[in-house]
């Protein structure tokens, strides 16, 4: 049975943090850009405790020049686990998976 995707908050926070670090944005600069009073909410995103609001996700995607859905990481479903077991050994699938995991 197909399950709806669920956002992995921990991996999403790591991705947001990594993208901000690669692009040279500090927490202070993000706080000013997003007009957030307390930087604690950004740290909560980074540690996977909370997710950014839709407005903040959109602003981050504009700032980082990437689509919003690239900021979010879905949890692996049973189908994806099966697909990785079944097709993980094929060279062309390994290349596809490696390309897909590029930030």
């Amino acid at each position: 049975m197909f399950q709806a995707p669920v956002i992995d908050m921990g991996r999403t926070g790591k991705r947001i943090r990594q993208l901000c670090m690669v692009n040279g944005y500090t927490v202070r600069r993000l706080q000013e850009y997003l007009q957030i009073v307390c930087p604690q909410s950004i740290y909560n995103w980074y540690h996977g405790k909370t997710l950014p609001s839709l407005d903040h996700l959109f602003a981050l995607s504009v700032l980082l020049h990437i689509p919003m859905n690239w900021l979010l990481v879905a949890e692996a479903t049973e189908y994806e686990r099966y697909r990785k077991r079944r097709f993980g050994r094929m060279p062309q699938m390994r290349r596809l998976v490696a390309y897909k995991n590029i930030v």
Side-chain angles (χ1 to χ4, degrees), residues 8-22 42-52 64 70-73 103:
D8 187 339
M9 291 175 45
R11 290 176 51 206
T12 297
K14 287 178 185 178
R15 178 173 288 174
I16 292 172
R17 183 177 186 186
Q18 181 182 18
L19 288 169
C20 290
M21 287 175 58
V22 165
I42 297 172
Y43 288 114
N44 286 339
W45 301 343
Y46 284 177
H47 296 292
K49 294 179 182 176
T50 61
L51 289 172
L64 300 171
W70 286 15
L71 291 171
L72 302 173
V73 179
V103 175

Side-chain angles (χ1 to χ4, degrees), residues 74-102:
E75 288 183 354
T77 62
E78 283 300 318
Y79 174 74
E80 290 174 355
R81 290 187 195 117
Y82 167 77
R83 187 177 56 84
K84 285 182 182 179
R85 282 194 312 267
R86 173 73 173 87
F87 299 111
R89 296 185 188 112
M90 298 173 69
Q92 65 270 24
M93 289 303 291
R94 274 184 275 173
R95 283 195 300 271
L96 179 64
V97 169
Y99 176 76
K100 196 175 175 184
N101 290 332
I102 294 175

Side-chain angles (χ1 to χ4, degrees), residues 18-34:
Q18 181 182 18
L19 288 169
C20 290
M21 287 175 58
V22 165
N23 288 294
Y25 294 111
T26 63
V27 173
R28 176 71 64 184
R29 286 183 65 193
L30 285 177
Q31 180 185 356
E32 292 170 1
Y33 174 73
L34 298 172

